[in-house]
Amino acid sequence: MIIILGILAVTAAPKFINLKSDAHRAVLQGLKASISSANTLVYSKALLQGKEREVVANVDLGASIGRALLAYGYIPSSLAYLPQDTKASSDFDSELFDSITTILAIDAEMLTSSTQFTEKEWGLKFGGSDMYVNFIPRGLSVSSSCYLQYSGLNSGSADGQIFITIIDDGC
């Protein structure tokens, strides 16, 4: 009986251990789809309000959602390209964080280092001179190499590109 249990443990354990990695990857794929869909919807809202060409615009997303900052009509990953005198007047990191979490309707916390583990549904870590946002699933850190990296229109022009990349080496 013990031998049979041992054989089952050796053959079944790797399958169950891999389920956690698969779950993390699936959650990241789901977030990628959510960000893509949200960008389509918020761009439509910005277009209707005539704010799709503004570097940064405070757009009304609807009574049940509220307002959020958008960059050229899309979810921003940075406000680094704003003029310095504009940056000094407000706490843009907090506004950026609030806009992202409002648009995506996620429970998140802002992480301050790449080794900090998130305790909420998502951890958001701004990086690359504030040019991208890393979305880290609960219980992991950026250094875990299991996260989604989002880069919005950061080139300072509406002609830039949006990149959504899943880093899953450590999942």
Side-chain angles (χ1 to χ4, degrees):
M1 182 63 130
I2 294 175
I3 294 172
I4 294 171
L5 288 174
I7 291 170
L8 285 174
V10 169
T11 57
K15 178 127 181 117
F16 288 115
I17 291 170
N18 195 30
L19 288 178
K20 187 173 183 180
S21 295
D22 291 345
H24 283 304
R25 286 184 180 98
V27 165
L28 293 173
Q29 287 293 340
L31 180 65
K32 182 177 182 179
S34 293
I35 291 172
S36 294
S37 296
N39 263 330
T40 301
L41 294 172
V42 297
Y43 186 81
S44 298
K45 289 285 190 175
L47 186 65
L48 288 171
Q49 296 172 36
K51 298 181 178 181
E52 79 281 2
R53 301 302 263 169
E54 293 182 27
V55 176
V56 175
N58 197 347
V59 176
D60 182 10
L61 301 176
S64 63
I65 301 171
R67 300 181 76 74
L69 292 178
L70 300 181
Y72 296 105
Y74 294 100
I75 301 170
S77 60
S78 172
L79 300 175
Y81 45 80
L82 289 177
Q84 282 302 117
D85 57 338
T86 308
K87 286 184 197 177
S89 64
S90 294
D91 182 10
F92 283 112
D93 284 344
S94 177
E95 289 184 50
L96 183 59
F97 176 83
D98 290 344
S99 291
I100 291 170
T101 56
T102 297
I103 293 166
L104 297 176
I106 58 173
D107 179 32
E109 64 184 304
M110 194 179 317
L111 304 179
T112 57
S113 79
S114 295
T115 57
Q116 182 181 355
F117 290 88
T118 182
E119 296 177 11
K120 293 195 175 187
E121 178 185 11
W122 292 100
L124 273 60
K125 173 74 176 86
F126 298 94
S129 299
D130 296 328
M131 298 311 271
Y132 57 81
V133 181
N134 292 324
F135 290 82
I136 304 98
R138 180 180 312 191
L140 299 176
S141 68
V142 173
S143 60
S144 299
S145 294
C146 184
Y147 58 91
L148 179 143
Q149 189 171 84
Y150 172 75
S151 177
L153 298 175
N154 297 318
S155 65
S157 76
D159 299 330
Q161 290 184 333
I162 292 173
F163 296 99
I164 305 172
T165 308
I166 293 177
I167 311 299
D168 63 357
D169 301 342
C171 290

